[in-house]
Amino acid sequence: MEVNLQSILLRHWGFSSFRPLQEDIIRSVLAGHDTLALLPTGGGKSICYQVPALCREGICIVVTPLVALMKDQVQALTNKGIKAVGVYHGLSRSEMDIAIDNCVYGDTKFLYLSPERLTTELLRSRIVKMKVNLLAVDEAHCISQWGYDFRPPYLRIAEIREFIPSTPVLALTATATTQVVEDIQEKLLFRNQQVFRKSFERKNLAYMVFREEDKLGRLLKICRKQQGVGIVYVRNRKKTREIADFLKLNGVSADHYHAGLTTLERDVRQNAWMKERARVMVATNAFGMGIDKPNVRFVVHMDLPESPEAYFQEAGRGGRDGRKSFAVLLYHKGDILEMEKAHEQSFPPVDFIKKVYNSLGNYFQLALGSGKDLSLEFDLPGFCRNYGMGQALVFNALKFLEREGYIAMSEAFSSPSRMMIRLDKEELYRFQVANPKFDPFIKLMLRSYPGLFSGFVRISEQEIGKRAGLETVQVERILHDLHRMGVADYEKQNEKPMITWLEERLTVGSLRISRENHGERKSFAMQRMKAMIKYASAGNRCRSISLLAYFGETGASRCGQCDVCLERNSLQITDFEFEQLEGMIRRTLGREALPLRELAESLPTNIHEEKVIRVIRWLKDNGQLQETPDGRVKWAGTAD
């Protein structure tokens, strides 16, 4: 097995050795154990299921909610000569049928699915015919109601296990608290507890938090001071353009990115940043998933993220090459108020969500019991005007329905044009003889795009037009004619927002949205928001230790390089001396509040007086000590 694992890694990825824990996780899976892998962002999770799947006969099913990541992974494997397909909303029924048939009867090694697709009858009836060697569940924290991105469709993944009883499960996540770790194993029906946890500590990443009124000024200083490429995260699309324009006006090479851009625009901008023609990318959180750029030197958040999990994942895109990098969070008091407002808007009342669902069915003129798997163009502003609803609340209601698994929403769903020849080679030849005007075009297509007989192939109407000496619109007309005549299936590229109905339209009374679950979810989100606010506003604890403690890692040492540690370092006092004095002060003030002078005099005389004063001043500046109206000080901090 040793030679096999190493040779597969070297042949397909060019690596001579595994990263820490990767081989342990792979061996656990190959031994048939259900396994949970906790690896930080950039820790090489995909190799943990791709290598063992290639070791064995059969196919690996990978469940992930991220369509963009799914497409990237499928393309990356295809580029390595490994057969992989993705099945997600937006594909036509015929495309899904062909892809799944290739998994049953062909030599496809990887089938990527969204959790909603995994539990459809179309998939269930075919999975029993597949030789599944591994079920990999990516973003496994989504299965837990305690997780920051809980998705009810994930709860149904375990139902598939009865169809593949001897197949092990590998669950993977980069962000999970202790509670979520337990929940993942329970919900996926783990037969044994096999958890591999790599420390989330990033020794090369310096976390910085600055309370800043002039955020743009501070950002400009960061961009000018730090060499290399960076990412700047903001909460809304408008800000991405405004801040990118500001940076460009001040001599910093920058661009902006958000989900509302067309696929071509996103690809061009991402490619320019990857090749460092644009040094700084200003983006919403739509940017970064699946992007493997190791030399990001700084990640700046201009707004408070919704949770420590989201922050850790986004900040973790810096410094994957192991070199010193910076994760900077800029905030001011107004951000906290904005965050609280956004939290309220993210959880519209249950009655409003049901109203939006019902209005959506009417908008598309769907009869009850119909619509399943339909993908339809959607105009959000027009919908809101028609039904007299606010866009922000409607958007969040739709997102809630999406998380519940009723619909899949794409703000600007797009995929390249695709084509497949429906006739066999002999039938096609007879068609060409009988229809000579199509003959040159069909020959050009067969020369340009191998594989048209076996499945859908991505095509470019513009490129075909150049080769054939035709206008793009003429190419589209010919392709539509071939589709109409039954010669080919042609799926034209679509750049418009889409909604896919994952289930048939239900009556409002049949929607599975209970007020208890809605309230619980809102409460969990509130807890995560408060944890994020606490992280930003607390200036008395090492940032790395704070994040690690949130994820259940205790006993970590100070990083020595975050904003809190740098201030502590300036005291010129050892950690041991600081902790000794801090403990004495806490115990002394635990009995009663004292005047500053009396507090200083009550401490042991064997410690230099200047050091005592520095520690007291630091604790006071960082909110650990508070002054009472009569001039005394009391302990206000926490034991940690």
Side-chain angles (χ1 to χ4, degrees):
M1 185 183 292
E2 184 72 34
V3 175
N4 195 17
L5 288 181
Q6 301 296 335
S7 63
I8 286 174
L9 184 69
L10 186 62
R11 182 164 71 250
H12 294 295
W13 285 272
F15 302 139
S16 57
S17 61
F18 290 98
R19 293 182 188 178
L21 284 191
Q22 281 182 331
E23 189 170 354
D24 297 322
I25 294 163
I26 291 166
R27 289 187 181 282
S28 173
V29 168
L30 290 174
H33 300 308
D34 294 334
T35 305
L36 172 57
L38 292 101
L39 298 173
T41 302
K45 294 192 294 298
S46 58
I47 279 179
C48 294
Y49 61 79
Q50 289 170 347
V51 169
L54 291 171
C55 281
R56 291 192 168 167
E57 185 186 349
I59 189 169
C60 171
I61 295 177
V62 185
V63 183
T64 175
L66 305 167
V67 174
L69 190 61
M70 200 185 296
K71 291 178 180 178
D72 288 345
Q73 290 281 347
V74 168
Q75 191 60 53
L77 287 166
T78 303
N79 292 344
K80 296 178 192 299
I82 301 167
K83 291 194 175 181
V85 296
V87 174
Y88 42 83
H89 62 268
L91 295 180
S92 67
R93 175 78 183 206
S94 58
E95 284 182 291
M96 284 193 272
D97 272 337
I98 291 163
I100 297 165
D101 273 348
N102 285 339
C103 295
V104 176
Y105 305 110
D107 55 354
T108 301
K109 285 299 295 182
F110 292 92
L111 169 60
Y112 283 79
L113 297 166
S114 61
E116 297 86 0
R117 292 291 164 202
L118 181 64
T119 52
T120 61
E121 284 307 312
L122 175 67
L123 259 300
R124 288 188 177 202
S125 62
R126 312 283 184 88
I127 283 174
V128 293
K129 299 176 183 177
M130 296 180 197
K131 185 175 179 61
V132 183
N133 61 30
L134 177 62
L135 175 60
V137 182
D138 201 12
E139 307 296 327
H141 56 268
C142 294
I143 205 169
S144 174
Q145 63 177 353
W146 308 99
Y148 81 103
D149 194 17
F150 172 56
R151 297 181 183 226
Y154 261 72
L155 293 172
R156 301 190 62 196
I157 295 173
E159 296 173 13
I160 300 303
R161 300 204 67 175
E162 66 177 282
F163 301 110
I164 46 173
S166 60
T167 302
V169 172
L170 172 60
L172 307 110
T173 180
T175 48
T177 61
T178 304
Q179 200 169 21
V180 171
V181 167
E182 296 300 319
D183 214 18
I184 290 170
Q185 296 174 86
E186 180 186 328
K187 297 292 194 306
L188 286 175
L189 305 179
F190 268 39
R191 293 176 290 232
N192 47 280
Q193 286 206 344
Q194 199 75 347
V195 180
F196 293 90
R197 186 197 304 263
K198 184 179 178 183
S199 172
F200 287 172
E201 186 175 14
R202 295 287 304 279
K203 292 183 182 293
N204 65 309
L205 195 56
Y207 297 99
M208 300 283 179
V209 179
F210 299 112
R211 186 164 178 167
E212 181 67 71
E213 294 301 321
D214 179 17
K215 290 186 183 181
L216 288 176
R218 173 74 78 160
L219 174 63
L220 189 58
K221 287 178 185 173
I222 293 168
C223 291
R224 285 174 172 170
K225 183 177 180 181
Q226 299 306 324
Q227 300 299 310
V229 296
I231 305 173
V232 177
Y233 282 112
V234 295
R235 194 178 286 278
N236 66 54
R237 296 177 183 180
K238 186 182 175 187
K239 279 187 182 179
T240 63
R241 178 185 289 276
E242 290 174 348
I243 294 176
D245 287 347
F246 167 80
L247 291 174
K248 284 186 279 192
L249 279 171
N250 286 278
V252 177
S253 170
D255 209 336
H256 71 286
Y257 184 107
H258 56 71
L261 300 172
T262 67
T263 300
L264 179 61
E265 288 173 320
R266 292 200 299 271
D267 287 348
V268 167
R269 291 171 193 207
Q270 179 176 317
N271 191 48
W273 179 78
M274 291 290 285
K275 293 183 177 178
E276 302 184 15
R277 292 195 296 269
R279 190 165 77 89
V280 179
M281 183 65 81
V282 186
T284 60
N285 61 8
F287 182 76
M289 228 22 117
I291 291 175
D292 186 19
K293 186 163 179 59
N295 63 332
V296 177
R297 295 277 71 89
F298 58 96
V299 179
V300 180
H301 280 76
M302 301 291 281
D303 301 295
L304 285 170
E306 63 184 19
S307 67
E309 290 96 333
Y311 179 66
F312 185 80
Q313 193 169 62
E314 290 160 13
R317 290 175 186 136
R320 292 187 184 181
D321 57 3
R323 290 177 52 207
K324 179 72 174 286
S325 302
F326 295 86
V328 183
L329 175 60
L330 306 180
Y331 88 104
H332 53 64
K333 192 173 182 181
D335 291 342
I336 295 174
L337 298 175
E338 275 187 33
M339 196 177 185
E340 290 169 346
K341 182 181 175 183
H343 169 76
E344 282 301 315
Q345 286 193 330
S346 295
F347 290 89
V350 171
D351 288 342
F352 182 79
I353 295 170
K354 291 183 175 182
K355 180 182 175 183
V356 169
Y357 178 85
N358 194 50
S359 299
L360 197 65
N362 295 337
Y363 175 81
F364 288 126
Q365 298 182 332
L366 293 178
L368 289 172
S370 70
K372 187 171 182 178
D373 290 332
L374 269 181
S375 291
L376 303 162
E377 291 180 13
F378 182 64
D379 175 17
L380 178 61
F383 175 84
C384 293
R385 281 195 303 272
N386 284 352
Y387 294 96
M389 302 178 190
Q391 282 195 40
L393 273 177
V394 168
F395 179 79
N396 283 307
L398 292 172
K399 292 300 286 184
F400 197 92
L401 289 167
E402 183 177 47
R403 286 195 297 270
E404 293 290 320
Y406 292 110
I407 63 170
M409 182 172 60
S410 171
E411 294 168 81
F413 176 78
S414 66
S415 62
S417 294
R418 303 173 295 263
M419 180 185 169
M420 171 188 166
I421 301 291
R422 293 178 64 181
L423 307 179
D424 62 30
K425 291 181 181 179
E426 190 175 324
E427 290 169 330
L428 182 63
Y429 175 72
R430 287 199 296 268
F431 174 84
Q432 288 170 264
V433 171
N435 298 273
K437 69 174 184 176
F438 288 106
D439 183 59
F441 185 86
I442 291 172
K443 284 177 177 173
L444 173 66
M445 294 298 296
L446 293 174
R447 285 198 306 271
S448 303
Y449 297 101
L452 281 170
F453 287 101
S454 56
F456 278 89
V457 174
R458 295 182 176 194
I459 63 171
S460 166
E461 292 89 342
Q462 292 82 1
E463 188 61 35
I464 295 165
K466 285 179 187 175
R467 294 179 187 179
L470 299 171
E471 295 293 326
T472 301
V473 67
Q474 292 175 293
V475 173
E476 291 175 356
R477 193 177 301 124
I478 295 171
L479 289 167
H480 279 299
D481 285 343
L482 292 173
H483 182 91
R484 179 177 49 79
M485 297 166 78
V487 176
D489 280 329
Y490 170 52
E491 300 282 345
K492 189 175 182 299
Q493 183 174 28
N494 191 337
E495 290 282 0
K496 295 180 179 177
M498 305 281 285
I499 282 184
T500 301
W501 289 77
L502 301 176
E503 294 189 17
E504 65 276 359
R505 184 185 177 185
L506 304 170
T507 63
V508 169
S510 300
L511 284 182
R512 301 181 301 274
I513 302 176
S514 74
R515 283 176 171 76
E516 291 75 21
N517 288 344
H518 180 274
E520 258 190 0
R521 213 158 303 160
K522 186 174 181 180
S523 174
F524 297 151
M526 172 69 81
Q527 291 170 25
R528 292 190 293 273
M529 181 185 75
K530 286 181 175 177
M532 191 66 235
I533 292 171
K534 181 180 178 183
Y535 170 82
S537 56
N540 49 33
R541 192 182 190 195
C542 166
R543 303 291 178 189
S544 179
I545 288 178
S546 293
L547 284 172
L548 293 173
Y550 180 82
F551 291 111
E553 284 192 42
T554 58
S557 302
R558 282 199 312 124
C559 71
Q561 58 185 357
C562 69
D563 59 299
V564 176
C565 285
L566 290 177
E567 191 179 348
R568 273 275 299 272
N569 296 346
S570 69
L571 299 178
Q572 295 181 321
I573 182 170
T574 67
D575 284 354
F576 175 77
E577 289 173 322
F578 184 94
E579 288 163 14
Q580 186 183 32
L581 279 169
E582 183 187 33
M584 291 176 185
I585 291 167
R586 185 168 63 243
R587 287 191 295 274
T588 302
L589 295 180
R591 295 188 290 271
E592 59 176 329
L594 294 171
L596 270 174
R597 182 182 293 276
E598 197 172 322
L599 171 63
E601 290 173 351
S602 70
L603 298 173
T605 55
N606 63 331
I607 300 176
H608 197 282
E609 183 182 357
E610 181 60 30
K611 290 183 178 181
V612 172
I613 293 169
R614 283 185 209 146
V615 171
I616 291 174
R617 186 182 297 129
W618 190 92
L619 292 172
K620 191 167 179 289
D621 290 345
N622 286 278
Q624 296 283 76
L625 299 180
Q626 285 183 357
E627 202 163 344
T628 62
D630 61 357
R632 295 167 179 260
V633 288
K634 64 178 182 178
W635 181 258
T638 56
D640 55 18

